[in-house]
Amino acid sequence: MTATDIRNETSVPVSSPLAHRWSPRSLDGAHVLSADDLTALGEAARWAPSAMNLQPTRFIVARRGTDTFAKIAESLAGFNQVWAPRASALVVALAETERDGRPVRWAEYDLGQAVAHLTIEAADRGLVTHQMGGFDVDQLRSVFRIDKALTPVTVIAVGQYDPTADIDEAVRERDLEPRTRRELDDLTLILDI
Ligand SMILES: Cc1cc2nc3c(=O)[nH]c(=O)nc-3n(C[C@H](O)[C@H](O)[C@H](O)COP(=O)(O)O)c2cc1C
């Protein structure tokens, strides 16, 4: 099974990367992310819309094997530390929640949208992404001397899915669990069509 064998069940077809996107944890610990792939993920995020085009999105990007990668990995919560260090890159997604001393109202919304674009570009390239809220924000703040105007919101593991990866069985099993979603009707408060 490869990442692109996954197909998210939809009532009508959706575009290919949306149909194939998922967040596995069994990653190929030897995969090297190409410079083109890394740049394309950044470009996908860069062209996301944002409120008033403020672009309050920042990233710390590190390939596996670098000091920065190790520092990000050390900030991860227990379970995430079990699998995420096999990622080809770790990306800290930060929202510029304050500009010129004033709050940026939609900063986290805009960041989420930019990250969504990144994940879809990754899926289109046969890569996988796994976003994590489980990390120590204060630790990252202090290690990277992050300005108070910026808020680390998630860490994203980017890599190559490998169902045969030499990993904890519990991690492999999580990947094989059925993936579920609420029905579309449950998301729609009013449908006047
Ligand atoms: C903001 C956010 C935080 C998340 N935090 C974690 C996390 O700390 N650890 C983890 O293993 N998965 C985490 N996830 C992954 C979700 O559990 C996963 O996206 C969800 O179960 C849906 O699975 P899918 O992406 O394969 O469709 C997070 C996802 C998001 C969007």
Side-chain angles (χ1 to χ4, degrees):
M1 186 169 68
T2 69
T4 44
D5 291 331
I6 298 295
R7 176 160 281 279
N8 299 331
E9 260 178 44
T10 52
S11 50
V12 296
V14 297
S15 62
S16 172
L18 287 169
H20 297 302
R21 189 213 60 80
W22 69 317
S23 309
R25 299 179 180 84
S26 307
L27 302 176
D28 176 354
H31 173 257
V32 177
L33 205 51
S34 73
D36 258 20
D37 280 344
L38 258 180
T39 306
L41 299 186
E43 289 291 358
R46 182 167 84 96
W47 278 98
S50 65
M52 292 173 290
N53 202 20
L54 287 183
Q55 305 168 62
T57 298
R58 302 290 181 275
F59 295 111
I60 296 171
V61 183
R63 275 213 184 90
R64 192 183 52 253
T66 62
D67 276 0
T68 306
F69 184 101
K71 286 174 180 157
I72 300 170
E74 277 163 21
S75 79
L76 296 175
F79 177 62
N80 292 333
Q81 285 212 11
V82 174
W83 60 270
R86 301 176 65 89
S88 312
L90 288 174
V91 177
V92 184
L94 307 101
E96 186 189 7
T97 39
E98 204 184 295
R99 189 176 292 182
D100 302 329
R102 294 220 290 271
V104 178
R105 182 173 161 195
W106 289 286
E108 293 187 52
Y109 182 95
D110 290 339
L111 174 68
Q113 190 145 218
V115 171
H117 280 218
L118 181 159
T119 66
I120 297 306
E121 181 63 29
D124 200 44
R125 289 169 173 265
L127 298 166
V128 294
T129 49
H130 198 122
Q131 301 171 58
M132 291 168 275
F135 67 97
D136 188 327
V137 174
D138 292 335
Q139 190 174 329
L140 280 191
R141 270 197 184 290
S142 108
V143 163
F144 295 117
R145 298 168 196 261
I146 293 168
D147 193 282
K148 72 173 178 37
L150 302 177
T151 305
V153 178
T154 52
V155 175
I156 310 157
V158 181
Q160 186 89 67
Y161 175 55
D162 177 8
T164 66
D166 180 21
I167 43 149
D168 196 284
E169 266 319 299
V171 173
R172 194 190 319 282
E173 277 165 25
R174 286 281 286 271
D175 284 351
L176 302 175
E177 282 172 7
R179 293 173 55 251
T180 59
R181 285 300 190 269
R182 291 181 170 192
E183 293 302 319
L184 189 50
D185 284 351
D186 292 344
L187 308 186
T188 314
L189 292 183
I190 298 175
L191 183 65
D192 185 10
I193 54 178

